[in-house]
Amino acid sequence: MLEPQRPTLRDLAAAAGGMHPSTVSLALRNSRRISAATCRRVQEVARQLGYHRDPLLDAFNRHRIDAQPPRAPRHIAVVADFGSAAALRASPRHALALAGARAAAAELFCKLELFLFGPGQPSAKRLDSILDARGIGALLLLALRPEGPAPAFAWERYCYVAVDSPQLPVPAYTVTVDYRQAGRLLWRLARAEGRRRIGFVWSDESADGAEQRAIAGYLFERSRESEGSPVPPLKLPPGPAAGTALRRWAKRYTVDAIVCRAAFRALAHTALGDTAPPCMAFDDPTAPTGMIRPDYFQVGRHAVEQLVALMQTNHLGPPPSSACTYLPIAPDS
Amino acid sequence: MFKPPTLKDVARAAGVHFTTVSMALRGHPAIAAATRVRLESIAAKLGYRRVEVFSALTQRRQERGRQFARPGLLYLGRAPRRRQFFEMAHHRAVLAGARQQAEDFGYCLETVFVGPGGVPPDQLTAYLRKHSARGVVIGAWDPGMSAPAVDWSGKATVKIDSWHIPADVPVVSNDQLANVVTALTELRRRGYRRIGLAMGEHDDEGTGGAHLSGLQLAHARLAPRERVPPHFFPARTRMGPILEGLGRWLSAHRVDAVVSNWASIRSMLQAIGRSVPGDVGCACICRGRHQHELAGIIPNLELVGRTAITVLAMMVRDAGSPRAHAASNTCVQGVWRPGRTLRPAPSNA
């Protein structure tokens, strides 16, 4: 691991034709202030020279940054599929994720700016030109719904990370809660409470992976017990038929606990009234103690950290494959 | 914003130069014991904590102009034999991605084999403690072997697969769960109705049950009569009995297509007299890039390696700060590729 004097930023600046080290530093980071051609040239010279980042300096900067006021923060655009900022705040999951993102951004010397996207808001193309004019090259995608407008951004120009696994038309890095673990934990919690007829209710299987992962966890735990005849999962039909299907299923299988999305609880109360079995949600950050509480704050935080890592290593554009990071659910204290 | 106490704060409180404090806290022989004790207690009262990174950086500056070591990361492999790990195309691809990403970050990646010919498993804890590397990747250890009792707490650690290794650290893997679901979906689109999953007996220990979970998820959407129970190839068994077991399972459940994580599945089926795709179709969920005839999923192994290093670098960067890193699980998607081992998909699909 020993090597002779390694090339520094100044060596690189000299080799690139007598540029100033700060120009070189900006060019290595694909800054918009430097022309694309110059960026490419400088990066090529860096490769030839064997210049590489110094992780000790990176770590050092992290500590230094904590003590200094920001001079020129890097901008990250949070693109959220909500009609208004108030609507975003009203959704606990997304409000928490945004709060976590802001916390991480503050630590990492970045500035977050919220851009709304979706019904009644600027289109992707318009957002592209706004972000370009502002010199913003990093996106944090929040809650882009699959049935919403297809987000046709110029993906190659951005570093981007998505939160809570929306279905994007391009490969992406995503951060979300470990719903599979959630499904497993909820099964065990229900059993610990003495429930024996635990059912799972799902609705839209194509949309996002949350329900799929949760049911995978539920089934996995269930398969490890050899209790009699298990309750088959119920896929809710759309529309008013849902209530009837739910009633029939709950009665037929004498369900005494339901694992489901938080949003489903309203239907359960309408359809089953007072006899509704407890609904254990796998995606409720405001769940009471004794239930699992997924940490969306951490999700937002982790997403920004990943995004900054991409920015630091100039990984623009779609990754070669999608990769999803599942954050564990902390055991309730 | 709260600023943590610095060396200079301690120096000011003690009425000495900050160099004196630095030398004292480092145990430099030039500083008298009495002075050292006094400065240590003042530092403790102020809540001053040494930041390892600063010391390392100072050392670096002092060594400038002379040779010095690039910070290192370790990549540990474990398998019954060394060549089974570092020469397998699968592991080589992951390692290539890890190496590239390590260089991008400015680290040097060193590979170490744990087992015969390398570091003995019972000496691994001591080896890690002595090694100057800042972080460790546990690179997809073979689950069929005994897991040595190792103390991983000394260094930032990340696992690739290796769920059977008791270390509560971030894990990076292929998305085996999604791969199984995708494979079964693609096979059903081609009209197969008796699809079976076949894998090595211990293969799922490394993945945390991901293959079985994927199968259960796919089965949840099928009628009970269409659910074929999975088949497990026994470990440490000659190929003869393995093939016999495969044949018995195929017949007993009237399997019309096999999904496996073993890339040799096609030749195995042919060895027991089944023609592919004539008698039975097959697909591999962990297919090599160059196995063009074999239908299945090509995992993005380089990205798995790269992601493991990215996560590790973040942990190393944060070492010494109070923030803990949650033991996240990152799943990297692969890509489905059709092949000649399956019936063609219907043209209107």
Side-chain angles (χ1 to χ4, degrees), chain A residues 1 5 8 53-55 60 62 66 180 205 212-213 215 220 223 301 305 320-326, chain B residues 1 54 57 60 64-65 70 106-108 175 208 213 216-217 221 300 317-318 323 329-331 333:
Chain A
M1 285 199 291
Q5 180 90 49
T8 67
R53 298 188 69 88
D54 184 351
F60 172 66
R62 192 185 175 327
D66 285 349
R180 179 166 171 243
E205 56 179 286
Q212 291 215 19
R213 293 266 162 180
I215 199 176
F220 188 77
S223 70
R301 187 190 196 105
E305 289 182 344
S321 304
S322 288
C324 185
T325 301
Y326 298 98
Chain B
M1 188 168 43
F54 293 165
L57 206 55
R60 162 82 60 84
R64 222 155 160 61
R70 203 154 124 193
Y107 286 102
C108 174
D175 198 343
S213 261
Q216 287 165 355
L217 189 54
R221 299 194 196 124
N300 196 326
R317 185 200 64 195
D318 288 346
R323 254 181 17 80
N329 174 19
T330 302
C331 297
Q333 303 282 34

Side-chain angles (χ1 to χ4, degrees), chain A residues 248-270:
Chain A
R248 207 176 302 152
W249 172 79
K251 187 165 171 204
R252 180 171 170 196
Y253 296 105
T254 57
V255 175
D256 61 10
I258 301 179
V259 178
C260 58
R261 278 188 174 288
F264 165 77
R265 288 195 286 233
L267 173 66
H269 280 291
T270 332

Side-chain angles (χ1 to χ4, degrees), chain A residues 173-259:
Chain A
Y173 295 111
T174 319
V175 184
T176 185
V177 166
D178 191 346
Y179 292 114
R180 179 166 171 243
Q181 182 204 11
R184 294 182 65 174
L185 284 175
L186 286 176
W187 170 274
R188 295 210 285 260
L189 262 175
R191 294 291 281 129
E193 283 178 13
R195 311 281 172 191
R196 303 177 62 119
R197 311 286 304 155
I198 309 163
F200 193 107
V201 174
W202 54 345
S203 51
D204 194 335
E205 56 179 286
S206 64
D208 62 28
E211 271 176 339
Q212 291 215 19
R213 293 266 162 180
I215 199 176
Y218 158 91
L219 290 174
F220 188 77
E221 282 299 327
R222 197 177 81 174
S223 70
R224 290 160 68 139
E225 296 182 23
S226 46
E227 287 268 329
S229 50
V231 178
L234 172 69
K235 177 156 185 284
L236 281 179
T244 328
L246 179 61
R247 269 193 296 273
R248 207 176 302 152
W249 172 79
K251 187 165 171 204
R252 180 171 170 196
Y253 296 105
T254 57
V255 175
D256 61 10
I258 301 179
V259 178

Side-chain angles (χ1 to χ4, degrees), chain B residues 3 9 42 107 166-167 221 277 328 333 340 345:
Chain B
K3 275 179 62 171
D9 294 330
I42 293 178
Y107 286 102
R221 299 194 196 124
S328 59
Q333 303 282 34
R340 273 191 265 186

Side-chain angles (χ1 to χ4, degrees), chain A residues 82 85-98 143 164 285-286 296:
Chain A
F82 285 94
L88 196 164
R89 282 194 295 273
S91 165
R93 282 168 31 208
H94 301 106
L96 277 169
L98 185 56
D164 217 13
T286 61
Y296 287 97

Side-chain angles (χ1 to χ4, degrees), chain A:
Chain A
M1 285 199 291
L2 292 177
E3 58 176 14
Q5 180 90 49
R6 46 179 276 269
T8 67
L9 202 62
R10 287 181 197 277
D11 298 333
L12 181 52
M19 297 168 92
H20 196 274
S22 16
T23 316
V24 169
S25 177
L26 288 168
L28 286 175
R29 281 178 277 146
N30 286 326
S31 164
R32 279 149 200 278
R33 284 145 67 180
I34 312 290
S35 75
T38 311
C39 290
R40 274 196 299 273
R41 185 165 63 85
V42 168
Q43 285 168 25
E44 180 51 40
V45 175
R47 246 191 307 275
Q48 285 170 3
L49 210 57
Y51 172 85
H52 54 78
R53 298 188 69 88
D54 184 351
L56 271 187
L57 280 176
D58 286 344
F60 172 66
N61 281 329
R62 192 185 175 327
H63 289 277
R64 184 174 65 96
I65 277 154
D66 285 349
Q68 268 193 7
R71 275 181 307 158
R74 288 173 292 201
H75 285 269
I76 296 174
V78 178
V79 177
D81 191 356
F82 285 94
S84 66
L88 196 164
R89 282 194 295 273
S91 165
R93 282 168 31 208
H94 301 106
L96 277 169
L98 185 56
R102 285 198 199 282
E107 283 178 19
L108 292 169
F109 201 39
C110 293
K111 196 165 178 303
L112 282 192
E113 205 168 320
L114 183 62
F115 291 87
L116 296 174
F117 172 76
Q121 296 294 342
S123 68
K125 216 165 127 200
R126 176 98 187 91
L127 267 182
D128 260 344
S129 46
I130 297 175
L131 294 172
D132 189 32
R134 295 280 313 275
I136 297 179
L139 301 181
L140 184 67
L141 301 158
L142 198 56
L144 295 187
R145 276 169 298 193
E147 69 268 15
F153 290 101
W155 301 105
E156 299 72 29
R157 285 197 5 228
Y158 301 102
C159 297
Y160 60 94
V161 170
V163 165
D164 217 13
S165 48
Q167 301 277 48
L168 290 174
V170 287
Y173 295 111
T174 319
V175 184
T176 185
V177 166
D178 191 346
Y179 292 114
R180 179 166 171 243
Q181 182 204 11
R184 294 182 65 174
L185 284 175
L186 286 176
W187 170 274
R188 295 210 285 260
L189 262 175
R191 294 291 281 129
E193 283 178 13
R195 311 281 172 191
R196 303 177 62 119
R197 311 286 304 155
I198 309 163
F200 193 107
V201 174
W202 54 345
S203 51
D204 194 335
E205 56 179 286
S206 64
D208 62 28
E211 271 176 339
Q212 291 215 19
R213 293 266 162 180
I215 199 176
Y218 158 91
L219 290 174
F220 188 77
E221 282 299 327
R222 197 177 81 174
S223 70
R224 290 160 68 139
E225 296 182 23
S226 46
E227 287 268 329
S229 50
V231 178
L234 172 69
K235 177 156 185 284
L236 281 179
T244 328
L246 179 61
R247 269 193 296 273
R248 207 176 302 152
W249 172 79
K251 187 165 171 204
R252 180 171 170 196
Y253 296 105
T254 57
V255 175
D256 61 10
I258 301 179
V259 178
C260 58
R261 278 188 174 288
F264 165 77
R265 288 195 286 233
L267 173 66
H269 280 291
T270 332
L272 298 170
D274 288 335
T275 62
C279 293
M280 308 168 78
F282 53 78
D283 60 350
D284 185 3
T286 61
T289 5
M291 285 287 125
I292 61 163
R293 214 176 310 173
D295 193 345
Y296 287 97
F297 186 89
Q298 271 300 96
V299 169
R301 187 190 196 105
H302 197 105
V304 165
E305 289 182 344
Q306 257 186 270
L307 189 50
V308 170
L310 290 175
M311 288 155 78
Q312 279 175 347
T313 49
N314 300 319
H315 278 116
L316 296 174
S321 304
S322 288
C324 185
T325 301
Y326 298 98
L327 294 186
I329 295 175
D332 219 14
S333 44

